[in-house]
Amino acid sequence: MAESGARLRFSKMHGAGNDFVVIDLRDGTPSPDAALCRALADRHAGVGCDQILTIEAPRTATAAASYRIWNADGSAAQQCGNGARCVAAWLRRDRSAGRHGFDLDSPAGVHAVEVLDEDTFRIAMGVPQFAPAAIPLLGHVEAQDQYALDIDGRPVRFGAASMGNPHALLEVDDIDAAPVAALGAALQRDAAFPQSVNVGFAQVEARDRIRLRVYERGVGETLACGSGACAAAAMLMRRGRVDREVTVSLPGGDLRIAWPDDTAPILMAGPATFVFEGEWLP
């Protein structure tokens, strides 16, 4: 693995404010180790980002490339919708992918990409999974609309789903007043989530609009979470709280989520933006 002293070219990008350091490893450059990920992600002494994305050779015959995701604390992640759009934009600029659409291999599987315009992409994020074993969520066998845990002496009700990574969702009346950091961290520590969990707080404003904040594993609260937007929309759609196509408004911008039916892949559309190019010096 590449160590913190390695010299690396990178692109700084963001998707709706969820920001990334993107590194091309297709030339055989080793993957970043945990120390390098932490150094790159440091917003004072490094580049600053929520996650590091590494672009690698495709693993399947139809894919333009594969990518992996590394959190700011150096841990690996399984899914990142905003990151998928940024990887798609990077490959398009590099002329390594089709003009109108292509596939990407991610840690969670193969994602079909549709190019909507120069900086907007629609990603097929897979079919949401609700079985507790798939999340994973301990203490339950059958999927439920909502679960309850005792957190710091008070009952907390939440929905749960997997988008290839675990998500919990709490519906709130006032998103601005939601205890995102405190309750998000408490749920992540709970033994019911053996792989921890991304915790979303959603306020339904209309049948076609949700406001959402997400406290992510290995990062904390981010300006946007694409897989979290998909998970929140899917859970609220199954409850009948919102329509099958909604705008999810996050602190960093809006994403469009569509889920035609419970057996179909959920679709996420949104922007991908280049910020600057740089070189990490040893």
Side-chain angles (χ1 to χ4, degrees), residues 45-63:
V47 181
C49 65
D50 293 322
Q51 291 164 314
I52 293 92
L53 303 172
T54 56
I55 297 175
E56 304 177 24
R59 296 191 301 272
T60 60
T62 62

Side-chain angles (χ1 to χ4, degrees), residues 139-169:
H140 302 273
V141 176
E142 300 295 331
Q144 300 178 23
D145 178 57
Q146 291 198 71
Y147 304 88
L149 284 174
D150 183 86
I151 301 294
D152 297 331
R154 67 184 183 94
V156 174
R157 295 186 63 81
F158 59 92
S162 173
M163 288 301 310
N165 56 348
H167 291 272
L169 181 73

Side-chain angles (χ1 to χ4, degrees), residues 17-102:
N18 190 190
D19 61 340
F20 308 97
V21 168
V22 183
I23 304 170
D24 184 6
L25 302 184
R26 293 174 300 172
D27 62 356
T29 299
S31 302
D33 63 12
L36 178 55
C37 288
R38 291 192 294 269
L40 286 165
D42 191 300
R43 296 191 182 277
H44 300 287
V47 181
C49 65
D50 293 322
Q51 291 164 314
I52 293 92
L53 303 172
T54 56
I55 297 175
E56 304 177 24
R59 296 191 301 272
T60 60
T62 62
S66 68
Y67 66 95
R68 286 190 288 169
I69 310 151
W70 311 86
N71 292 321
D73 67 357
S75 60
Q78 291 77 43
Q79 181 67 285
C80 181
N82 294 316
R85 296 196 316 278
C86 287
V87 170
W90 195 99
L91 291 168
R92 277 261 296 162
R93 188 187 67 171
D94 189 56
R95 298 183 179 179
S96 299
R99 292 182 58 192
H100 304 295
F102 49 92

Side-chain angles (χ1 to χ4, degrees), residues 5-24:
R7 191 177 186 126
L8 289 172
R9 294 287 305 170
F10 67 86
S11 301
K12 177 69 185 283
M13 302 185 69
H14 77 86
N18 190 190
D19 61 340
F20 308 97
V21 168
V22 183
I23 304 170
D24 184 6

